[in-house]
């Protein structure tokens, strides 16, 4: 081990010339035995069997106290991720001002207010009850009522949502009774979320709570059938840096009608009408699969997994949508669009790839992004050394085939599981059993996600809930050319002289989805991994500490 450590300090290494098990053992050796046993189950070396089976990874479990991880809280997942990008709902944070402020526009979600008749856009405002000591001691329900009334008087919105923070749960404010009272008084949709930050083990709990709330209070309120053929919903796309705009451009070009997006560039009217679509397409599996499953159970709308990150992944997803509808007109149009878009993408890739070929990346983001972006890096000839999720579950890593084996723990039981039944009047299977069986026989997958690990090479390190200390060690050992994570990790990583690309908010870039997005990403990564600025992270005297001089008197 000492000999290996010596080699690591003098050269860039890859998984080809270093045993990943040795790296794992070296990192685990620094932990107390109990912590090492737990972390070793979350730090696995990938090996894909002939049947597609991968090693078991421990995920969606509590972070070890004392370890600085990447995760966010339940409130952040509910308000910041799922509901934050919806422009015409006034989102009121019931809690201290810091919770509202730090979940406000931090993900660079974009929106187009002109796409709805009223032009409402409340995303530019930060609404909070700004709880003080008095409310913590005597209760904050009165102040919440005042805040809802004030928001309505000033903006006349169609809907108001209330998000509970940690102190609200601790003091017992009943936000739901307040919302029901104000809904009756104002005559608009007012609903609340019990998304106190301490619930669950990460922001994943907040995603689940947001899915439940939107389904209970909004989905199904408008049965109007939207005009257009091939009507779909896009779920788990949050329009960061304009991703949803690029995907919408491609759909329009193909003649595909998008009923709703959950929840980039979204409106509450689209949510209310989304159950009328003929297909749900899921991008981020972890954050939004709950709505898709409930919509299928209640209204008969099937769902499929798609990926619009990467040009070839985009083409594959378009073909999958066309295959589902099975109409030659759409199949031909999709092929026409792909043939029109790909040459520009391939030309950009051919220009950049000679400068990125063989570069090495690590990705630790989100619940699907660490998987999806490996597609783009592969197009650039780059290698993924290690990847993992902040808030993923086992099925995000190993695929949905492991769902029956996942045990529900106490933290997951804190999250309400809705009992959904077929709507007696509106349940309408969008596809017959015969057609479904025909598609499945041809290899078409419904309600399925293979997960990240089956598509990663053997020997790659898959790490759940990466800690800052582990980040530092991986960088010192492998010296990757690029590290992908979030804002909390950005500057600590860059102090190592390694560029970090934020894949939560894209720094100042984007879009990276679709065909145009792939071109943007190629050039961005080329600039980052080939910039000479990282050579100057160390001062000259740190690189060459030996000094030579003579006395002036000589």
């Amino acid at each position: 081990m000492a000999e290996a450590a010596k080699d690591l300090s003098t050269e860039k290494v890859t998984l080809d010339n270093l045993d990943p098990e040795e790296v794992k053992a070296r990192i685990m050796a620094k932990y107390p035995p109990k912590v090492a046993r737990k972390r070793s189950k979350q730090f696995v070396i990938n090996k894909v069997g002939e049947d597609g089976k991968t090693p078991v990874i421990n995920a969606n479990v509590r972070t070890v106290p004392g370890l600085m991880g990447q995760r966010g809280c339940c409130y952040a997942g509910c308000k910041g991720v799922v509901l934050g990008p919806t422009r015409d709902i006034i989102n009121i944070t019931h809690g201290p001002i810091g919770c509202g402020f730090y979940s406000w526009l931090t993900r660079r979600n974009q929106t187009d207010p002109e796409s709805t008749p009223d032009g409402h856009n409340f995303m530019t405002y930060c609404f909070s009850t700004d709880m003080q000591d008095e409310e913590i001691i005597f209760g904050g329900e009165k102040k919440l009522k005042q805040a809802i009334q004030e928001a309505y008087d000033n903006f006349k919105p169609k809907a108001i949502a209330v998000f509970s923070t940690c102190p609200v749960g601790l003091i017992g404010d009943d936000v739901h009774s307040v919302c029901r009272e104000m809904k009756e008084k104002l005559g608009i949709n007012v609903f609340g979320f019990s998304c106190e930050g301490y619930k669950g083990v990460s922001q994943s709990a907040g995603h689940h709570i947001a899915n439940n709330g939107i389904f209970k209070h909004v989905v199904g309120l408008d049965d109007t059938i939207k005009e257009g053929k091939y009507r779909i919903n896009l779920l788990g796309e949050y329009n960061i840096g304009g991703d949803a705009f690029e995907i919408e451009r491609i759909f329009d070009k193909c003649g595909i009608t998008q009923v709703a997006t959950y929840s980039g560039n979204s409106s509450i009217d689209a949510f209310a009408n989304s159950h009328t679509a003929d297909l749900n397409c899921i991008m981020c599996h972890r954050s939004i699969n709950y709505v898709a499953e409930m919509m299928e159970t209640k209204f008969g709308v099937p769902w499929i997994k798609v990926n619009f990150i990467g040009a070839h992944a985009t083409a594959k997803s378009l073909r999958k949508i066309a295959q589902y509808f099975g109409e030659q007109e759409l199949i031909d149009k999709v092929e026409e669009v792909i043939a029109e878009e790909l040459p520009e993408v391939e030309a950009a890739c051919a220009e950049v790839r000679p400068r990125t070929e063989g570069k090495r990346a690590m990705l630790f983001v989100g619940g699907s992004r660490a998987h999806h972006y490996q597609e783009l890096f592969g197009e650039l000839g780059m290698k993924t050394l290690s990847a993992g999720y902040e808030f993923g579950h086992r099925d995000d890593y190993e695929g949905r085939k492991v769902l029956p084996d996942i045990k529900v723990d106490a933290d997951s039981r804190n999250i309400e599981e809705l009992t959904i039944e077929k709507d007696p009047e509106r349940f309408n299977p969008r596809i017959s059993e015969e057609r479904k069986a025909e598609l499945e026989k041809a290899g078409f997958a419904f309600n399925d996600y293979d997960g990240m690990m089956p598509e990663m090479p053997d020997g790659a390190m898959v790490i759940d809930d990466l800690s800052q200390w582990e980040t530092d060690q991986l960088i010192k050992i492998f010296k990757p050319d690029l590290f992908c994570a979030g804002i909390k990790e950005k500057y600590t990583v860059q102090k190592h002289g390694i560029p970090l690309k934020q894949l939560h908010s894209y720094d100042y870039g984007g879009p990276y989805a679709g065909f145009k997005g792939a071109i943007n990403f190629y050039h961005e990564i080329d600039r980052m991994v080939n910039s000479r600025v990282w050579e100057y992270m160390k001062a000259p005297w740190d690189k060459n500490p030996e000094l030579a001089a003579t006395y002036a008197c000589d």
Side-chain angles (χ1 to χ4, degrees):
M1 184 63 71
E3 183 178 347
K6 181 179 178 181
D7 293 339
L8 302 182
S9 65
T10 57
E11 63 172 343
K12 284 188 176 182
V13 296
T14 67
L15 291 175
D16 297 327
N17 58 23
L18 183 68
D19 183 0
E21 291 288 357
E22 288 187 19
V23 175
K24 176 179 176 179
R26 177 179 172 181
I27 292 175
M28 294 300 116
K30 293 292 184 179
Y31 286 132
K34 186 176 180 180
V35 175
R37 284 195 298 273
K38 180 175 181 178
R39 284 302 295 155
S40 65
K41 296 176 183 178
Q42 295 175 271
F43 193 128
V44 303
I45 310 304
N46 197 40
K47 185 172 178 60
V48 184
E50 293 182 2
D51 57 354
K53 192 173 182 180
T54 61
V56 175
I57 187 168
N58 203 21
N60 193 39
V61 294
R62 294 184 182 185
T63 300
V64 175
L67 292 186
M68 185 183 294
Q70 299 177 315
R71 288 172 167 174
C73 69
C74 176
Y75 160 81
C78 184
K79 193 263 184 184
V81 176
V82 179
L83 271 298
T86 306
R87 60 178 169 267
D88 53 2
I89 300 176
I90 284 186
N91 293 325
I92 299 178
T93 295
H94 186 35
I97 191 62
C99 297
F101 181 79
Y102 286 107
S103 61
W104 174 44
L105 291 183
T106 54
R107 282 168 54 85
R108 297 184 63 245
N109 308 105
Q110 297 184 14
T111 196
D112 179 16
E114 295 181 2
S115 59
T116 44
D118 53 34
H120 283 175
N121 180 18
F122 306 122
M123 288 170 58
T124 54
Y125 297 92
C126 179
F127 298 91
S128 173
T129 53
D130 187 19
M131 291 179 73
Q132 301 295 316
D133 292 354
E134 181 179 347
E135 286 79 47
I136 299 297
I137 296 168
F138 297 106
E141 293 181 13
K142 180 179 178 182
K143 193 170 189 180
L144 176 58
K145 293 177 187 177
Q146 292 172 343
I148 294 172
Q149 184 67 57
E150 183 179 339
Y152 177 78
D153 292 341
N154 283 310
F155 296 98
K156 299 296 189 292
K158 290 176 283 192
I160 295 174
V162 176
F163 301 85
S164 301
T165 56
C166 293
V168 172
L170 295 174
I171 66 175
D173 276 0
D174 188 348
V175 299
H176 302 286
S177 67
V178 171
C179 289
R180 287 192 294 270
E181 179 183 333
M182 296 306 292
K183 179 178 181 178
E184 185 175 347
K185 178 182 178 181
L186 302 177
I188 64 169
N189 199 353
V190 183
F191 48 94
F193 296 90
S194 294
C195 55
E196 296 84 356
Y198 53 74
K199 282 189 174 178
V201 301
S202 71
Q203 55 266 57
S204 176
H207 303 152
H208 196 164
I209 291 168
N211 280 231
N212 288 348
I214 285 293
F215 196 81
K216 280 197 298 185
H217 299 291
V218 182
V219 174
L221 295 181
D222 178 12
D223 292 330
T224 305
I225 304 296
K226 187 174 182 178
E227 292 183 3
K229 299 178 71 175
Y230 318 120
R231 293 175 296 112
I232 70 168
N233 296 320
L234 183 61
L235 281 65
E237 166 43 56
Y238 299 104
N239 203 21
I240 296 167
D243 277 352
F245 294 151
E246 165 63 5
I247 297 171
E248 288 168 13
R249 179 190 73 83
I250 296 169
F251 284 162
D252 288 343
K253 204 170 178 179
C254 292
I256 296 169
T257 303
Q258 192 169 330
V259 178
T261 303
Y262 284 79
S263 50
N265 192 33
S266 61
S267 72
I268 190 169
D269 293 337
F271 292 161
N273 185 246
S274 60
H275 66 293
T276 65
D278 294 320
L279 178 66
N280 280 325
C281 301
I282 293 182
M283 279 274 286
C284 179
H285 172 260
R286 182 71 274 134
S287 64
I288 211 74
N289 68 85
Y290 314 99
V291 158
E293 291 175 353
M294 291 187 288
M295 211 181 291
E296 180 166 24
T297 301
K298 187 171 183 178
F299 299 109
V301 185
W303 70 265
I304 60 173
K305 181 73 177 70
V306 296
N307 175 21
F308 289 97
I309 302 297
H312 295 288
T314 297
K316 183 179 178 181
S317 294
L318 290 173
R319 288 177 174 130
K320 190 173 184 179
I321 293 170
Q323 184 183 4
Y324 166 80
F325 284 104
E327 294 194 13
Q328 196 61 44
E329 176 189 14
L330 178 60
I331 293 170
D332 292 343
K333 186 63 179 176
V334 162
E335 292 301 329
E336 178 186 323
V337 170
I338 292 171
E340 184 179 327
E341 296 280 347
L342 272 184
E344 184 181 1
V345 178
E346 290 171 345
C349 188
E351 176 201 349
V352 169
R353 183 161 176 151
R355 298 188 294 274
T356 57
E357 186 87 45
K359 300 287 187 182
R360 299 147 320 116
M362 293 182 171
L363 300 84
F364 296 95
V365 280
S368 288
R369 288 179 183 271
H371 180 194
H372 291 166
Y373 273 88
Q374 291 184 48
E375 179 85 24
L376 268 173
F377 285 122
E379 291 174 7
L380 289 171
M382 295 177 66
K383 182 175 183 178
T384 300
L385 294 176
S386 183
Y389 297 134
E390 295 173 42
F391 51 80
H393 297 198
R394 270 190 64 195
D395 49 314
D396 298 300
Y397 286 102
E398 304 171 52
R400 289 178 65 89
K401 60 183 177 293
V402 304
L403 283 174
D405 301 328
I406 297 178
K407 296 179 180 179
V408 180
D409 59 14
D411 290 307
S412 297
R413 289 193 185 95
N414 280 335
I415 313 304
E416 180 186 14
E417 287 286 351
L418 300 184
T419 301
I420 305 298
E421 298 178 350
K422 292 181 181 179
D423 188 292
E425 297 178 356
R426 296 182 292 177
F427 180 79
N428 174 28
R430 303 310 200 268
I431 185 170
S432 68
E433 289 298 323
E434 293 76 16
R435 171 63 177 161
K436 186 175 182 180
E438 178 187 335
L439 285 171
E440 289 177 332
K441 188 176 180 181
F444 193 95
F446 287 95
N447 302 34
D448 197 23
Y449 175 42
D450 291 334
M452 178 174 74
M453 292 170 68
E455 295 188 9
M456 291 185 69
D458 288 355
M461 292 180 295
V462 183
I463 308 171
D464 183 64
D465 189 22
L466 184 76
S467 73
Q468 185 59 53
W469 186 80
E470 291 163 354
T471 299
D472 293 337
Q473 296 308 303
L474 290 174
I475 289 173
K476 288 176 183 177
I477 293 170
F478 290 101
K479 301 179 180 64
D481 299 287
L482 183 68
F483 201 96
C484 300
I487 185 62
K488 295 193 295 294
E489 299 77 46
K490 183 177 179 67
Y491 299 104
T492 56
V493 168
Q494 291 185 164
K495 286 178 181 178
H496 288 279
I498 304 294
L500 184 141
K501 182 61 186 173
Q502 281 197 77
L503 291 183
H504 290 295
S505 61
Y506 295 176
D507 295 299
Y508 309 104
Y512 297 141
F515 299 112
K516 303 292 186 187
I519 295 172
N520 292 340
F521 193 78
Y522 297 158
H523 291 299
E524 178 75 0
I525 298 307
D526 179 27
R527 179 186 66 79
M528 293 186 75
V529 300
N530 292 301
S531 173
R532 295 186 61 188
V533 69
W534 307 108
E535 299 174 8
Y536 302 104
M537 289 298 291
K538 285 188 175 182
W541 51 85
D542 286 333
K543 293 181 180 179
N544 302 293
E546 183 178 348
L547 298 176
T550 59
Y551 289 105
C553 61
D554 293 342

